[in-house]
Amino acid sequence: MATTEGTKDQLLALKVMRMSRPTFNEFASTMGVDPADPFASGIEKAMSGVNGCDSMELPVGSYLMAPTSIDNIYLGETFTFYIVVLNESEQICSDISVKVDLQTQTQRITLQSKLGDTQSELLPSRSLGQMVMHEIKETGQHILVCSVSYITNDGEKMFFRKFFKFPVNKPIDVRTKFYNAEDNLNTDVYLEAQIQNLCTSSIVLEKVQMEPSEAYTCQEIKPSQSSDEFGNVYLPPKTVRQYLFCLSPSTPDNALTHYRGVSAIGKLDMQWRSAMGERGRLQTSSLQRMAPGYGDIRLSVEQIPGIIPLLKPFVIVCKLYNCCERSLDLILSLDGSLQPDVVFCSTSGQHLGQLSPGKSVQFSLNAFATSAGLQHISGIRITDTFLRRTYEHDEIAQIFVN
Amino acid sequence: MSQPSWSEVEYLYYWPENERLQIVVAAQRYETVYTMPGLKNVESLTDKMAYATLKLKEVQIQRPTVAESVEGLKQLIGLGHLRAAYNLTITLLNNYGQGVGKAGQPTRNTFETFEFWSCRFQLMMALKLHSELLEELAAFETLDAPDTYFQYYPALLQQGYIGSIIPFNLRMIHAEAPRFSPDPIESIKRCCALEEITKQVIDQMTIESRSENQIKLWKQRLEAVKLMKARCWYTMKEFHQCITVYQELLSKATDDKRARLLQLLLRISVVIGDEKLVEKFSREITVQNSGSQNFYLHKGIKDSFYGNYAKAINNFQNAQKTSGGLSNPTVVNNEAICQLYNGKVEDARSHLLSFSAVPTEPIMLNVNTISQLISTSKDNAKQQFLLNIVNK
């Protein structure tokens, strides 16, 4: 993983240790111990000096261990490493300067290094080191470029570079689905977010939050069991967890044109931890939603009684929105043949007037029901005289007749 | 030292009869040998410590010579010479006719041979000879053959011996060993089966109004089996199953065992990376342990979970104060590692090297790792450290 560039034999050496979280020592020598066994207790005692633990029955110890292997690093995590310059020679080296850059797919970032002090001097067998941290914001191949310059005892200027390559992968995959609760009464949108763990080991999801755009307010729909007793959401590799959010439009209804076409719903913010408490955090880019097409006009029911007595007249208040780019000249007609059990009392053929783009008009309908039970309201016909087009609206609402 | 009478030790071998045995006893068929073990690995283990001492100090360590018997084994184990004890099991099993080539061949199984096998397998677990262990365990099959009972040997039955000849520790190793094979779930199945029978024994002994000591021993055995099941879940990374077993044990544990189990649960929560569980177990430890060494140890571990290494160092230093100086290897080690993560590498190494007693394996590993980072090829500190160990 490391390559060096620099001619001549160098007096100084550079080493880098990736400081992934310290792990606990795991016992390879474990065994069940029967207190009555003639050998077991003796063996356990003999192993205690080696293991540093007086029991052979535990799987994991309490010793923190310095990192020995290089683990994968993922987008959203913090890359922590210790960089050290060692004087392997017998002479004093001076004017030591260390520059540390991180080369990603798209840019070269200079990392903070206090080892760039030109006054510094390094005695033989001594070392100069520093912990460096950097939040990983890109995937793909990363190269840590460490450049060291110094002056030998004889005044000779020396320079060398060392490269450390490592890949950065995506830790989680997010898939989103939108569900429209929109019927004529409800304008909520439901967002289902599926989060999949792409890491090679398990992670624990601490926080998955939806940050809505200005146009919406958001509420998470959580399962009922969410006591702290069960811990956070544990996600083994490749498993998926689903989250559900309810997004309600925050602006008043008559700005419905805002929801046409593509609209920005918001961003998903995710925080997790992996083994030994290593943190990670990612935010999605703005999630986009394609609003369902309403066509040129949209009918919504503003007021309607839920339960209606038989043969008693009732009023339905409706609103018509002009969702298209042109003015409309509208006539309301009523077709009573589709619902034999509900009779319209209003006049058919009522002229509703001209409607500009983005505007709405309200109208009332009088009707009464002739039979009991759950009935639909259908048969609303809106005709645009400019283009001679008729829009049909059936089953716009339901009533219960008793 | 006299041998205990059968009535004194009978409860240790208590084991319910199974159908296989009953069928054979009813038919009075005692000729078949079902359990046919034999040695497969007979290379003597070298004495690594003696070799290292010879190289570093040019001093030859002599290991004591002991009798070729169970007593000899106990002596070697008591002195910590586990490799020598393992080599002795080879000799003993050869002497009793169950050496190389005997696996699968009918030989004479006796009380002594089962004891030697039990000792040998325990040593193999300690010395991490897991694949060799699995090879030699195969001949014991499911440990429920008729010839694993005293009742199968008419001469023994006449003298009143009943129960299983198989030492309980051997049963435990047989249950745990698949953990090291490609099929670790088999170990869970075996642990559950062993747990079931152990519970049956306890229930039966309670009905028979056995003495408190006898039932207590079997309850300790049950605990050991549960600990083993938890270990097997841990190996398979089924951490939540593992935690469930420990919580079962927690509900019945005495105070000191409770403290140890809670510390273990805290560590497992840290391994998982679950902050809620870390906080939960941390709260329970705090309630139990205010002011003691364990109290600061767990706080230090919690701080390192959050990456607060400076705070962790403080807590480990407090832990040392309550244990009387630099004597607890865990605390010394953890403080040093936190110094490392705090950027003080030289301090970390010198702290580890300052440990006064014989360093444990984790400390040695850490010294090695840190030395690789900051030692030049001429560095003597590590050499000196090793020499000091050998001197002790």
Side-chain angles (χ1 to χ4, degrees):
Chain A
M1 192 183 92
T3 48
T4 317
E5 185 194 84
T7 52
K8 307 187 202 174
D9 286 330
Q10 300 284 345
L11 304 178
L12 300 185
L14 178 126
K15 290 189 191 166
V16 164
M17 179 187 256
R18 161 131 192 251
M19 304 299 284
S20 43
R21 286 291 177 96
T23 51
F24 288 119
N25 61 324
E26 295 204 346
F27 296 120
S29 304
T30 57
M31 183 177 88
V33 174
D34 171 13
D37 189 89
F39 312 107
S41 313
I43 292 177
E44 187 178 50
K45 192 149 171 281
M47 291 305 293
S48 67
V50 172
N51 282 340
C53 175
D54 56 3
S55 167
M56 271 182 90
E57 296 182 287
L58 308 178
V60 65
S62 44
Y63 285 85
L64 291 169
M65 304 301 289
T68 47
S69 59
I70 304 164
D71 290 333
N72 290 324
I73 187 161
Y74 295 97
L75 179 66
E77 292 185 335
T78 303
F79 178 45
T80 309
F81 61 96
Y82 188 80
I83 180 168
V84 65
V85 174
L86 271 167
N87 188 344
E88 295 209 308
S89 70
E90 305 287 324
Q91 29 166 316
I92 301 176
C93 297
S94 56
D95 273 13
I96 298 167
S97 161
V98 181
K99 195 162 159 294
V100 184
D101 289 338
L102 188 62
Q103 177 74 50
T104 68
Q105 306 269 44
T106 59
Q107 55 182 318
R108 193 174 181 111
I109 309 162
T110 301
L111 302 179
Q112 286 280 31
S113 167
K114 287 178 277 185
L115 299 179
D117 183 357
T118 52
Q119 305 294 327
S120 62
E121 180 180 85
L122 200 55
L123 299 168
S125 297
R126 301 310 298 271
S127 61
L128 269 178
Q130 187 201 342
M131 201 69 88
V132 181
M133 294 202 250
H134 172 76
E135 222 184 283
I136 299 280
K137 298 199 172 104
E138 283 179 62
T139 52
Q141 192 79 268
H142 282 55
I143 307 176
L144 190 67
V145 184
C146 306
S147 320
V148 182
S149 64
Y150 59 101
I151 299 180
T152 67
N153 225 1
D154 308 322
E156 195 186 341
K157 284 196 186 154
M158 304 282 276
F159 173 83
F160 71 94
R161 276 201 301 192
K162 227 169 167 178
F163 303 89
F164 300 90
K165 263 208 273 199
F166 58 96
V168 171
N169 293 313
K170 251 175 62 169
I172 54 184
D173 188 31
V174 182
R175 277 184 288 255
T176 53
K177 277 192 204 175
F178 289 100
Y179 299 91
N180 297 312
E182 285 154 348
D183 52 19
N184 292 309
L185 290 167
N186 188 342
T187 51
D188 289 342
V189 179
Y190 290 87
L191 167 69
E192 177 193 334
Q194 291 179 353
I195 297 182
Q196 185 181 34
N197 177 8
L198 298 177
C199 301
T200 50
S201 51
S202 306
I203 60 174
V204 173
L205 289 172
E206 282 193 348
K207 191 173 88 159
V208 175
Q209 249 176 23
M210 182 69 191
E211 282 172 13
S213 65
E214 275 174 8
Y216 291 93
T217 56
C218 175
Q219 200 189 8
E220 188 186 340
I221 299 175
K222 285 191 207 195
S224 52
Q225 170 258 78
S226 56
S227 151
D228 281 1
E229 290 297 295
F230 300 101
N232 277 318
V233 174
Y234 181 70
L235 219 55
K238 302 209 181 107
T239 53
V240 177
R241 176 84 174 187
Q242 293 154 299
Y243 287 84
L244 192 60
F245 300 93
C246 175
L247 295 150
S248 312
S250 51
T251 54
D253 284 356
N254 50 14
L256 198 60
T257 45
H258 282 183
Y259 308 121
R260 281 205 75 185
V262 173
S263 56
I265 298 292
K267 297 182 187 175
L268 210 53
D269 186 6
M270 296 154 294
Q271 282 184 31
W272 70 90
R273 278 191 204 262
S274 52
M276 306 306 293
E278 186 83 68
R279 297 199 80 161
R281 184 178 185 166
L282 276 182
Q283 220 183 37
T284 60
S285 47
S286 185
L287 298 171
Q288 305 289 319
R289 171 190 165 249
M290 190 71 188
Y294 293 122
D296 297 336
I297 56 172
R298 188 180 174 225
L299 178 79
S300 73
V301 176
E302 297 295 297
Q303 261 181 58
I304 185 168
I307 301 179
I308 290 155
L310 196 58
L311 298 176
K312 283 262 155 69
F314 62 93
V315 177
I316 309 165
V317 178
C318 297
K319 212 178 200 178
L320 269 177
Y321 297 88
N322 181 354
C323 297
C324 69
E325 319 270 274
R326 47 169 224 284
S327 278
L328 303 166
D329 182 49
L330 303 172
I331 293 182
L332 168 68
S333 32
L334 303 165
D335 182 349
S337 64
L338 295 167
Q339 13 148 91
D341 301 320
V342 179
V343 178
F344 284 119
C345 310
S346 303
T347 328
S348 177
Q350 192 185 343
H351 185 223
L352 297 173
Q354 285 195 11
L355 204 57
S356 318
K359 293 282 188 253
S360 61
V361 65
Q362 219 166 282
F363 61 90
S364 308
L365 292 173
N366 291 330
F368 66 87
T370 55
S371 126
L374 204 63
Q375 309 291 351
H376 297 290
I377 309 293
S378 298
I380 316 280
R381 300 284 174 265
I382 310 289
T383 306
D384 172 29
T385 61
F386 288 156
L387 290 180
R388 305 234 176 114
R389 199 179 275 172
T390 302
Y391 303 95
E392 296 180 353
H393 294 275
D394 294 314
E395 292 191 17
I396 62 165
Q398 291 172 328
I399 49 167
F400 182 69
V401 183
N402 66 4
Chain B
M1 193 174 73
S2 60
Q3 286 278 38
S5 70
W6 172 245
S7 57
E8 284 172 351
V9 298
E10 168 270 341
Y11 73 105
L12 296 173
Y13 303 95
Y14 197 108
W15 200 252
E17 290 189 353
N18 63 14
E19 218 180 288
R20 280 178 83 181
L21 174 73
Q22 286 168 341
I23 292 173
V24 154
V25 165
Q28 301 269 296
R29 302 279 300 276
Y30 302 116
E31 317 82 40
T32 318
V33 180
Y34 299 86
T35 309
M36 296 183 278
L39 287 173
K40 296 209 169 164
N41 302 282
V42 290
E43 261 181 52
S44 286
L45 293 180
T46 51
D47 190 336
K48 290 187 183 166
M49 206 55 200
Y51 180 70
T53 318
L54 187 63
K55 268 195 81 178
L56 283 172
K57 284 191 76 179
E58 286 161 27
V59 166
Q60 180 78 45
I61 294 182
Q62 294 293 348
R63 299 293 187 193
T65 45
V66 296
E68 286 181 5
S69 66
V70 163
E71 282 314 310
L73 282 173
K74 285 192 203 172
Q75 265 186 299
L76 287 172
I77 291 170
L79 291 166
H81 302 314
L82 299 184
R83 286 189 164 78
Y86 171 85
N87 293 339
L88 181 55
T89 63
I90 299 175
T91 311
L92 289 168
L93 284 163
N94 268 321
N95 291 350
Y96 277 70
Q98 291 186 331
V100 175
K102 296 300 184 190
Q105 302 295 321
T107 53
R108 196 163 159 259
N109 290 316
T110 66
F111 184 83
E112 284 82 15
T113 59
F114 284 122
E115 275 215 316
F116 297 149
W117 282 111
S118 177
C119 182
R120 179 177 173 79
F121 292 152
Q122 288 176 45
L123 290 164
M124 284 168 113
M125 289 288 268
L127 296 166
K128 300 180 266 201
L129 300 168
H130 300 127
S131 49
E132 293 87 339
L133 170 66
L134 284 164
E135 271 185 336
E136 293 187 0
L137 257 180
F140 289 83
E141 295 180 333
T142 42
L143 279 181
D144 63 353
D147 62 355
T148 61
Y149 287 88
F150 285 115
Q151 293 92 305
Y152 189 70
Y153 306 87
L156 291 173
L157 179 59
Q158 258 179 6
Q159 291 174 61
Y161 290 85
I162 53 165
S164 172
I165 322 178
I166 306 287
F168 195 81
N169 233 102
L170 203 161
R171 287 195 185 275
M172 284 205 283
I173 292 178
H174 177 263
E176 189 171 356
R179 175 157 86 86
F180 307 104
S181 77
D183 184 24
I185 197 80
E186 178 64 26
S187 66
I188 296 289
K189 293 181 195 167
R190 290 183 185 184
C191 285
C192 287
L194 186 57
E195 196 180 335
E196 210 27 66
I197 302 187
T198 309
K199 283 181 180 162
Q200 273 177 37
V201 170
I202 293 173
D203 287 343
Q204 194 52 40
M205 282 187 163
T206 312
I207 292 172
E208 289 174 17
S209 302
R210 294 274 187 141
S211 79
E212 218 181 277
N213 275 345
Q214 293 189 1
I215 297 181
K216 184 173 165 212
L217 186 270
W218 275 92
K219 285 188 173 169
Q220 285 172 324
R221 285 179 168 181
L222 179 61
E223 208 180 280
V225 173
K226 286 188 174 167
L227 284 172
M228 186 166 62
K229 192 162 78 165
R231 261 199 312 284
C232 294
W233 282 128
Y234 186 93
T235 309
M236 295 190 285
K237 296 204 194 298
E238 291 285 347
F239 298 115
H240 294 87
Q241 293 279 21
C242 172
I243 288 178
T244 305
V245 178
Y246 285 125
Q247 284 183 311
E248 248 177 64
L249 284 164
L250 201 61
S251 59
K252 299 182 192 140
T254 54
D255 267 353
D256 58 319
K257 281 200 180 149
R258 228 186 118 74
R260 166 179 289 185
L261 281 170
L262 283 172
Q263 292 275 1
L264 179 61
L265 283 164
L266 175 69
R267 293 200 294 278
I268 296 176
S269 310
V270 169
V271 169
I272 297 174
D274 191 331
E275 191 211 344
K276 276 190 184 158
L277 289 179
V278 166
E279 288 297 332
K280 173 187 144 103
F281 292 122
S282 193
R283 271 194 301 271
E284 296 193 35
I285 295 175
T286 305
V287 163
Q288 250 237 313
N289 282 295
S290 290
S292 73
Q293 183 186 74
N294 277 333
F295 178 76
Y296 290 109
L297 182 63
H298 101 266
K299 277 196 172 269
I301 287 177
K302 201 168 83 135
D303 288 330
S304 61
F305 173 79
Y306 286 116
N308 298 332
Y309 298 112
K311 266 184 88 184
I313 291 172
N314 221 13
N315 277 312
F316 290 128
Q317 282 172 344
N318 285 334
Q320 249 153 234
K321 285 181 200 151
T322 53
S323 75
L326 288 173
S327 61
N328 183 324
T330 309
V331 170
V332 170
N333 175 81
N334 290 357
E335 188 185 328
I337 294 299
C338 289
Q339 281 169 333
L340 169 68
Y341 277 79
N342 215 23
K344 307 272 188 291
V345 183
E346 291 280 5
D347 288 352
R349 188 170 69 154
S350 48
H351 197 76
L352 283 171
L353 293 176
S354 69
F355 182 64
S356 48
V358 177
T360 54
E361 200 175 63
I363 289 186
M364 298 216 280
L365 285 169
N366 280 332
V367 167
N368 200 37
T369 310
I370 298 176
S371 295
Q372 279 176 15
L373 190 59
I374 56 169
S375 290
T376 60
S377 41
K378 304 179 191 73
D379 198 334
N380 273 325
K382 199 169 102 178
Q383 287 284 74
Q384 191 57 46
F385 188 58
L386 288 172
L387 258 163
N388 288 339
I389 301 169
V390 166
N391 280 335
K392 289 165 204 157

